[in-house]
Amino acid sequence: MAACGALALLLFAGTYRLAGVVFVWAALFPIYSVGTLPPVLFDLVRYGLAVAIGVRALHLPTAAPWRFARPWALTLLGLGVWLTVVGYARPDPLDTRSGVTMLLAVACAWFALHRLPNPRSVLTGFATGAVISALVLIATAAGLGPAVALVPVSDAGVMRLTGLGPSATKVASDLGMAALVLGVLAAIERRGRLLNAAGTGICIAGLLLSGGRVGLAMLVLACSWLLLRGRLRARHALMAAAAALAIVWWLARQGLALSTLDRLVQTGPHGFSTGRVELNAYALAATFDGFLANGTTAFALEYGGTPHFAPLSFGVAGGAVAFIAGAFLVAALLRELVRDRPTLNIGVLAALAAYTIIEPSGAFVGLSSVTLLLSVIRAEPACPFEGRRPARLLTSQN
C-alpha cells in the first residue's frame, strides 16, 4: 500500500502541470492528518512534493525577485542552526526540534519556490486546504458522525475544535489566514468573486467555532491595516462586518457553541491575556540569564508555559543571540508592512506579523508559515503579485 501511494505521488508530481502540483502541495499545509492516518505520512508527502517541485523547476532560471527573500532565508537558516546546536548541547528536545523544523522548512521552501516565476498558487492552495479543514470542523461542531471520524485529534480540550489541524490554535491561525486571502481576492478581483466570498464565510464560521483566538486577531488586525493603508475600501469592511454578523446569527440559531467569542469575553484569573504578559516579562529576564539562557523545557517547568512572542521564545531557547536574531526578523517584517506592495501581499504580511507577536514561534518555524512568508516577501515591491489587471492590484483604492 505504501509503495503504491509513493508511486502515485511520484507520477502526479512528475507529470501534472507544475502550478497544479504547487497548489496541491500548499493545500496540504493546513491538514495535519485525516482520521487515524499517521501524521508523519502527511509530513513525508509535503516534503516529498517540495523536493519534486524544486527538481521540476531546475530548468527554469532563478526568479529575479528572490533576491528580496534571500536575507530572510539566510537569517532563518542561521537562527535554525543556532537553536539546533544549543538545544542539542544542552540538551533540550524542544529547542532542538524547533531548530531542525526551521532548517527543514526554510530549505524546502527555498528549493521548491526560488525558481518559480509566480507562486500565487501557494496562497490559493493553502486557502483551499483551510476551507476543507473548516468544513470538517463545522460538521464536527454539528455532531455529524462521518466528520467526527475524520478529525485526527480526539481530545482537543474544553471549548476547542481542530478540524483537520493538530490543535485549535493552529487551525484558528490557518483559518484566519485563509479568510484574509479569500476575502481580499473577493474584494479586488471579479473572477471567482462568489466562490472566494463563500470560502471566506466558511473560514470565518470555522474560526468562530474553533475556540482559537489567534486567527480572529490575525484577521482583524490585517484587515485594519489594509484599511489604514487605503488598500480596502470602507464598503468592503462594512460588507465583511455584516456578513460576519450574519454568520454569527446563523451559527447561534443552529445551536452551535461560538467557543471563540466565549473565550474572548472570559477573562479568567489571569486577566484577558491569560497571564501571557507576565510570562513574557519572566522570559525577557530568562533570556539574559547567562549567555545561552536555560532552555524552553526548564522555563516551562518553572513558569508553567512558554512566552508568546517569537523573539522571547527564541531568547529562552538560545539566549541573547537568538533573541537579537528574532527581534531583527520581527522588525524587518514590520518594515515590510509600510512598503508599496500589492494588496494581497500586505494583508498576508500583516497577518503573519500579528501571528508572530501573539504566538511563540510565529511565522518563523514550520513549513506552512515559512513558505507563506517567503512567497510574499519574494515579490518585488514595484511589481504585482499576480493578476490579469496588475494596475488594479497596485492602486491605493484597493
Side-chain angles (χ1 to χ4, degrees):
M1 182 68 69
C4 291
L7 180 60
L9 178 66
L10 183 62
L11 290 174
F12 167 75
T15 60
Y16 198 67
R17 62 189 182 94
L18 189 56
V21 178
V22 174
F23 180 91
V24 172
W25 174 54
L28 292 173
F29 288 167
I31 300 177
Y32 172 68
S33 182
V34 177
T36 57
L37 292 175
V40 67
L41 176 63
F42 288 82
D43 290 333
L44 292 175
V45 171
R46 278 187 284 267
Y47 285 111
L49 286 177
V51 173
I53 293 168
V55 170
R56 286 190 59 184
L58 286 176
H59 69 283
L60 300 174
T62 301
W66 272 104
R67 67 182 185 273
F68 296 103
R70 190 175 295 118
W72 289 81
L74 293 176
T75 304
L76 287 171
L77 284 173
L79 180 58
V81 170
W82 180 261
L83 292 179
T84 302
V85 172
V86 172
Y88 183 79
R90 185 170 281 127
D92 191 319
L94 292 179
D95 298 337
T96 305
R97 184 175 61 184
S98 295
V100 172
T101 303
M102 184 181 293
L103 290 174
L104 289 174
V106 177
C108 285
W110 183 271
F111 182 68
L113 299 177
H114 81 284
R115 292 182 182 272
L116 297 184
N118 202 324
R120 170 168 167 165
S121 297
V122 172
L123 292 183
T124 54
F126 174 86
T128 301
V131 169
I132 295 173
S133 182
L135 288 173
V136 174
L137 191 152
I138 295 170
T140 303
L144 299 181
V148 175
L150 294 176
V151 176
V153 179
S154 58
D155 185 14
V158 180
M159 301 176 67
R160 302 293 184 101
L161 294 174
T162 63
L164 298 180
S167 65
T169 300
K170 183 62 169 65
V171 77
S173 64
D174 290 341
L175 294 182
M177 178 64 74
L180 173 73
V181 170
L182 295 173
V184 170
L185 289 177
I188 67 178
E189 292 186 357
R190 294 180 179 177
R191 183 179 180 182
R193 175 168 290 173
L194 183 60
L195 192 61
N196 289 329
T200 304
I202 292 172
C203 289
I204 292 176
L207 185 58
L208 293 171
L209 297 171
S210 68
R213 298 177 294 179
V214 60
L216 196 59
M218 291 168 60
L219 181 60
V220 171
L221 291 175
C223 290
S224 300
W225 183 249
L226 289 176
L227 284 170
L228 290 174
R229 288 288 307 269
R231 297 305 186 98
L232 290 179
R233 298 175 181 175
R235 63 183 177 88
H236 293 146
L238 293 176
M239 291 172 61
L245 290 176
I247 292 172
V248 170
W249 174 81
W250 183 81
L251 292 175
R253 187 165 183 178
Q254 302 304 313
L256 302 180
L258 301 176
S259 300
T260 304
L261 297 182
D262 292 339
R263 294 190 67 235
L264 279 174
V265 299
Q266 292 179 359
T267 57
H270 298 287
F272 177 77
S273 67
T274 61
R276 293 178 180 178
V277 175
E278 296 84 351
L279 200 63
N280 286 344
Y282 298 141
L284 183 61
T287 296
F288 298 97
D289 183 17
F291 180 68
L292 297 179
N294 295 319
T296 302
T297 300
F299 182 87
L301 289 175
E302 183 174 357
Y303 296 103
T306 55
H308 281 65
F309 180 49
L312 288 177
S313 66
F314 296 147
V316 167
V321 174
F323 173 79
I324 292 172
F328 170 80
L329 288 169
V330 171
L333 184 57
L334 294 176
R335 184 183 61 184
E336 293 294 331
L337 297 180
V338 299
R339 291 191 172 183
D340 187 19
R341 290 183 174 274
T343 301
L344 189 56
N345 289 37
I346 295 176
V348 172
L349 288 172
L352 289 174
Y355 186 46
T356 301
I357 293 172
I358 297 173
E359 289 301 315
S361 55
F364 306 134
V365 177
L367 182 61
S368 173
S369 56
V370 169
T371 302
L372 292 176
L373 175 65
L374 295 181
S375 295
V376 292
I377 286 292
R378 53 85 61 195
E380 190 172 357
C383 295
F385 187 83
E386 184 181 18
R388 296 180 179 273
R389 297 178 298 277
R392 177 179 174 81
L393 292 179
L394 289 173
T395 55
S396 60
Q397 287 79 10
N398 286 331

